Structures are given as structure tokens and as C-alpha cells.
Amino acid sequence: MQFTSFHALISTLIFLVYWLLIVSTTLRIVFKRRPTTYVIAWMLVIYILPIIGIILYFALGETHLGQQRAKRAQKMRPTITKFIKQLCAFPDIFTAKVSQVSKPIFQLCKHQTGLDGIKGNHIELLSDTDTIFNRLIEDINNANSNIEMVFYIWNEGGKADDVEQALIQATQRGVTCRLMIDSAGSRHFIRSKACQRMRDAGIIIIEALQVNLLRFMFRRLDLRQHRKVAIIDNYISYTGSMNIVDPRFFKQNKHVGEWVDIMIRMNGPVTTLMGAIYASDWELETGKHLALPQITDFAEPPEEKKHIMQLIPSGPGYTENMIHQVLLTAIYSAQEKIIFTTPYLVPSDDILHAICTAAQRGVEVIIITPKKNDSLMVKWASRAFFSELLNSGVKLYQFNDNLLHTKSVLVDNQLSLVGTVNLDMRSLWLNFEITTVIDDAQFAKSLSQLLKQYLSQSEEINIQKWNKRPIWQRVIERLFYFFAPLL
């Protein structure tokens, strides 16, 4: 009898503890003020998967850097504010005279960062893998003082090995080389002989956001350093969708073909801002201060109004939801045509509705995604959005043969967004990302020509054919749609 009473007491206590955990976690999710679909998805997870769901939420559901990084981010803010004030002391590199379609975005940037559009830049759009590597290696070979790089993936083989050799040679002639690579994306490279060779040569290599299961309660495990940036002598910079990966030697076992990417090569005042972002990332990760780049020589004289630009960094410690706001503003600014390229199409509700609204008000909206995808979950989750997009008049194209990895937005053949951001929740709300905003008709023309090439290699999804797809596909789409806000 006593045993039965004791067992009933323990059962009641366990139930009360579990109930308190459910209630407290639910309240925590609700008070975070995230999108409704995000909130509902997590609530279903913690209700359907007792205990496990709660553990998953605290491991993956909140964007927390960890105590040390949070303190560093707080400590860096006065330095960044001072740097922006120093930039503003050079009014010749700024302009508020931008195109009509770009004006709302530059107004948003001005109010969020304190900086107008940056003019006097020279930009090249690079879309061929060998050309990208050859230009980067050439710039590394010509470097005189410093090279800074941050990449999500570094993978051995092919042209990537040539970059390794160029960096080693640069170090041997006295150039300071710093490399920051993501712990998850570059996990194989970090343990490779190539990485050790580079460290032995004097290249400073930092493993960003180190994956450690013991720290999952103190820092979100799937928060990643997803930027792709190279800076040479504080004068030339690169960013875009391509990692240090030769597609002929990367993920061939996934049977998705070669990855198709773009990068932009920049020189001019915008590289100064890129250097400040890199210095912030470096200090956030290592705790060590890097001298911010000096605002002295620029690639174009002040009278040249070329390529008005802005850089939008995102991630913990940066202005919250900035890239999400920029994308929404770009979509609502479109009057004639907007083209997206993204390998992962799992948009927020706000972006989905903005895209559908644009199509419904007469804007020609085109989205190009790869037919083959290296993520099974994302592939099926993406398909769950197709019906709503097609019914709104959006034209969906699937890129054949290879995996289209380019992340770009082209608005009215004038405004271009190029960078590392996918149209998914991870890029929009979580990872360290970077996007370039480019207000220039000539650059837009180059991007438009490239997108026409992509379209010629793509197949449009026919709405009648799509509506006749098998029931089993619809069921799988809805199942993975459940996880869409968590991808």
C-alpha cells in the first residue's frame, strides 16, 4: 500500500514537472515574437515529442551566441559606432541620389546603419568557376600586406588547392593571411593535411562557431558562419555564393551535378566597410581586436558615380531582421519585373505573401531553383510552396542538370541583391550572412544576361501538370512543410 502511494506521488511529481516545462517553454516561444508559423511549428514539436521536443527547442530554437560572444558583441558596439562616424567624415563617398526603385532600400539602410549609399565603386560579376578562381589567385599573388578570408566551406581538390598554394606563397613573402572557416561546413578540411600545411606555413586559421555537443545549452549548434568573403590589401574584396570549392571535386556522390555559383569582385570605398565587418566577425570569434581598415585610397576618384552600393550583414549582434526587411522592401518596390535565384526556397510567410502580392499586382515574378537538391528535406519543403506561388501568377523554373547555388535578386533591371542569403528561415533569421545591394543599370544588365542563361537551362513548371501530381507527393510535401519554419 505504501509502495502504491509512493509510486502515485512520484508519478504526480513527474507529471507536474513535465507540465511546468511545457508551460514555461510555450511561454518562452510565444514571448519571442517570432513568425506565427515558426511558433506553431515549435509548439507542435514540443507537444508531439515529449521531453525530446523541449531539448530540441533549447538546442536549435533560439539564436544565442553564448555568453563570451555576447559580451564581445556588446563590447564592440562603441568601436563600430566610432568607425561609422569616421566614415561619415568623408562625404564624397556617399550619395542619397539613387534610382526610384532602390530608394526605399537605401532609406532603410540609412536609418538602420547611419550610412547613405556608397558610390565610386567598381564591380565585376564573375560567373565561371575557373574565372573566379583565377581572378582570386591573381589578386592573392599581387597582395602586399594582408589577406582576410571567411568561408562556410573549404574543400580540397582542383582549383581550391591552387588557392592554398597561393596563400602559402603569399605568407612566405611576408603577407599576413587570416582565414576563418565554419566548424560544420568545413569539418573535413579542418582535420585535413592541407589545413595543417597552411597553418605550418604561418596562415592563421580560425574554426568559427566550433561544434561541441557539450555546449548546446549555451550556444545554438546550427548557428553557422555562412559568409563567403575575401579581402586583399583592404582594397579588393569578393563576396557571393561560392565557397572555396571546385565543383568538379565536391559532393559528386550526391548526384546533383556541379554547383553553379557567382561572385562579385569589388574595389572602392565599399571594401572599407567589408573590412570592418570582417574585423567584427574576427573579434566576435577570437576576442582579439583587428585594426579597422583606414579610409584613405579608393579605386575610383570622387567624381566617378559608379556602382552605388550598400552592404547588409546579418546574424546575432547585428541589426535584427535587416536582410529580411531589405528583401521585403525590394519586393514591394518592384514595378515591372523581379527575378530570384535560390537553391533553397523555404520563405517566411511575409516574403511568400509579398512575392504573391507582387505577381497579383502585375509584376512579372520569376523564381529559379535547382531541380536537383543536396537537401532532401528542403527539396520537399520547397515544393509545398509551389501551388500558392503558381496560383498567384509567379513563374517557377527548375534549373536542369546541375545544382544552381546562386543567390540573387534582380528588380526592374536596375536594383541587384547578390550575396550569401538563401530564401529560407536559416539565412533570414539565424546565420551570419552578407548581401550586397547594387544600384546600377550596367551591373543589372550583366546579371540579367546571366539569368537569361539560367532560364535557357531551366524548365518552367506548368500549373496544370503540377496540379495533377500524385497524392503521395502531396502528402510528403505537407509533412516536410511542417518543418519549414525550422529549416
Side-chain angles (χ1 to χ4, degrees), residues 200-252:
D200 291 343
I203 298 170
I204 305 167
I205 300 178
I206 298 298
E207 184 180 352
L209 297 169
Q210 188 172 5
V211 176
N212 188 332
L213 292 176
L214 297 177
R215 299 180 185 175
F216 80 93
M217 290 299 290
F218 306 100
R219 175 173 61 79
R220 182 163 175 171
L221 289 179
D222 62 338
L223 168 62
R224 303 310 338 147
Q225 175 53 270
H226 198 243
R227 302 203 223 276
K228 292 95 175 163
V229 171
I231 305 168
I232 292 92
D233 290 346
N234 299 322
Y235 182 72
I236 298 167
S237 56
Y238 290 78
T239 193
S241 65
M242 195 175 94
N243 294 285
I244 300 298
V245 165
D246 189 325
R248 291 158 292 203
F249 294 83
F250 183 62
K251 288 193 175 183
Q252 293 300 305

Side-chain angles (χ1 to χ4, degrees), residues 150 167 239 247 254 307 364 480:
V150 53
L167 288 171
T239 193
K254 293 285 186 179
H307 296 130
E364 183 181 7
F480 281 98

